[in-house]
Amino acid sequence: MSGIAHHLLKRGIDAGRESYRSNSQASDDKPFGNPHAVAATLGITALLWFLAMNAIHYVYGGVVATLTMIETPTATAFTVDPAQSDEVDAPLLSGDEKKSSSTEPELFYVKTKPITSKIRTTIKHLVAVAGPWSRFRGLQVAMLYHFLHHMIFQLLTALIGHRMIPQSLAAVATAVILCRLQMLWNHVVISAPSEKKWYRCFPTIEQGKKIILPTAVWAIAEQATIYVPITLFYAFNLDAYAQNPQNFGNLSEMQQKSIMLASLAVMMSGLVTAALITVPASVTLNRVQASLLSEEHDTIVPFDRTFGGKVQPEVVSGTCAVSMLDAWKTFDWAARLRLIGLYAKIFAIQISTCIFFVALAVFEVRMINGDYVLY
């Protein structure tokens, strides 16, 4: 998604530059804006776009998505006493029939609507419980994680090489090395506000051992989502047309349709791989991490620590760990559809944001060049 956004913004900037060049060649006596002003304005716009996209990715794709993965909708219980029933036939029953009828109160459960059913309700809940900056909860841990991830990944790739397979192995190894820090971020995001500092809640080594396998599976799934489309891209020889678009124009109509279908297959392979492999792996990892949250910390959204009674009575430093299979199986279809809907909304928000900033970049260039006049 970040690559698509970068491409859209680049196209907008290029369009602005082309407009500037064409206008410069059309008339020599027309006053144009300062190129330095154009560069400064586009730089500020690009910075705002970068901040906006990262905020959307972190708040919605990170915090809200994680809460969606672990929330367990609560149920409200109430009883109905048959003796106080307003059934129309009740007065017609004889005394013996009334005695023979069940006098036990009936128990009913009504599930409440999940907090994470909407982005707005999730953010509203976070703000009400933990304050306005709670939407960025865990940001310090995330920044530390990404900094260390970059450093360790660069070190490993320098040692084992920069080709596709060595890079994938380095990415998986880096994720496993930092699995405890990633679990700390999960715990900071899902836990209720506490006076205890985040660096005092670092998971133990024994807890870290429990998430090595889920972390490795998730990291491998992430690499598959990246490299499956890349492999197909080169397998279909699409790089020849990407590097030299004129080659595409020299093809016959049938060949052009084949190339377009191949390009569509490459894009769909990424989406399918993400939906069928990466998302389940991410859900499983986050739920296993959440099961290791200390009992002294409450969660900010309803969360069933027993996972429907499937958690094994294996205690590690006072906490229980759920298995990978049970972590995924207890994530029911209602929650899965809710998560898919959230990702669809995030995608729409990111595309809308990119379109806005592309239009803004073109507008700014033309304003500076004097094409648009505001009265």
Side-chain angles (χ1 to χ4, degrees):
M1 184 61 224
S2 298
I4 297 175
H6 175 76
H7 177 71
L8 288 174
L9 187 66
K10 185 175 182 298
R11 289 290 299 273
I13 295 175
D14 291 341
R17 289 174 178 172
E18 288 297 326
S19 173
Y20 180 84
R21 292 170 183 170
S22 61
N23 288 336
S24 299
Q25 295 174 358
S27 176
D28 294 334
D29 57 350
K30 183 178 178 180
F32 296 106
N34 190 334
H36 298 291
V38 175
T41 303
L42 291 180
I44 295 173
T45 302
L47 176 62
L48 293 176
W49 165 81
F50 175 79
L51 294 175
M53 293 297 294
N54 278 275
I56 293 169
H57 175 73
Y58 185 81
V59 176
Y60 301 149
V63 175
V64 176
T66 300
L67 295 178
T68 303
M69 293 176 188
I70 66 105
E71 182 183 12
T72 306
T74 58
T76 303
F78 65 93
T79 59
V80 176
D81 189 355
Q84 300 177 353
S85 174
D86 56 354
E87 186 180 350
V88 294
D89 294 335
L92 301 179
L93 295 175
S94 62
D96 294 336
E97 290 175 332
K98 290 181 180 179
K99 291 179 181 178
S100 62
S101 63
S102 175
T103 58
E104 293 293 331
E106 298 181 17
L107 185 64
F108 295 90
Y109 291 94
V110 176
K111 282 190 175 182
T112 57
K113 192 174 183 179
I115 295 173
T116 56
S117 59
K118 296 180 180 179
I119 293 177
R120 183 181 59 185
T121 57
T122 307
I123 298 299
K124 185 177 180 181
H125 174 76
L126 287 175
V127 172
V129 175
W133 290 102
S134 59
R135 66 192 70 192
F136 294 102
R137 53 188 11 231
L139 182 59
Q140 291 176 316
V141 182
M143 294 175 65
L144 176 61
Y145 174 85
H146 286 294
F147 172 76
L148 294 177
H149 189 283
H150 175 76
M151 298 298 292
I152 296 174
F153 177 77
Q154 293 298 327
L155 176 62
L156 292 178
T157 52
L159 293 175
I160 64 177
H162 293 81
R163 293 184 178 274
M164 184 173 67
I165 294 179
Q167 278 195 338
S168 297
L169 293 176
V172 174
T174 303
V176 172
I177 292 171
L178 296 175
C179 65
R180 290 172 61 200
L181 184 60
Q182 187 184 33
M183 180 162 60
L184 174 62
W185 178 85
N186 175 279
H187 291 176
V188 172
V189 168
I190 69 174
S191 60
S194 173
E195 295 181 357
K196 198 172 183 180
K197 299 298 183 180
W198 61 266
Y199 49 83
R200 297 184 179 276
C201 304
F202 211 88
T204 64
I205 296 177
E206 292 298 323
Q207 289 176 323
K209 293 179 180 179
K210 294 295 180 181
I211 59 168
I212 290 178
L213 180 58
T215 302
V217 172
W218 166 76
I220 292 172
E222 287 261 298
Q223 294 304 302
T225 304
I226 296 172
Y227 287 108
V228 166
I230 292 176
T231 302
L232 292 177
F233 180 81
Y234 286 103
F236 291 141
N237 199 28
L238 297 179
D239 56 318
Y241 307 102
Q243 295 174 0
N244 191 358
Q246 293 180 351
N247 293 337
F248 182 79
N250 298 330
L251 298 176
S252 64
E253 183 178 354
M254 183 63 67
Q255 290 175 323
Q256 289 181 351
K257 289 181 179 180
S258 299
I259 295 300
M260 293 174 66
L261 289 175
S263 302
L264 180 61
V266 170
M267 291 186 292
M268 291 301 299
S269 66
L271 293 176
V272 172
T273 306
L276 299 182
I277 300 178
T278 307
V279 172
S282 179
V283 170
T284 300
L285 174 60
N286 277 277
R287 290 175 68 81
V288 172
Q289 290 172 337
S291 71
L292 291 165
L293 179 67
S294 175
E295 291 288 344
E296 65 178 300
H297 297 290
D298 294 326
T299 54
I300 200 166
V301 294
F303 173 56
D304 180 16
R305 293 175 182 265
T306 68
F307 290 84
K310 293 182 178 293
V311 173
Q312 300 296 323
E314 182 179 1
V315 179
V316 181
S317 301
T319 57
C320 297
V322 66
S323 66
M324 292 179 61
L325 182 60
D326 289 336
W328 173 249
K329 288 172 63 177
T330 54
F331 191 66
D332 58 21
W333 274 105
R336 296 174 191 178
L337 293 176
R338 193 163 68 247
L339 182 62
I340 293 173
L342 171 64
Y343 284 139
K345 293 176 184 177
I346 294 172
F347 182 77
I349 293 172
Q350 289 178 323
I351 291 295
S352 301
T353 303
C354 290
I355 293 174
F356 170 78
F357 277 100
V358 167
L360 180 61
V362 174
F363 175 76
E364 287 171 342
V365 172
R366 294 191 173 183
M367 276 289 295
I368 294 174
N369 289 348
D371 292 342
Y372 295 146
V373 179
L374 297 179
Y375 295 98

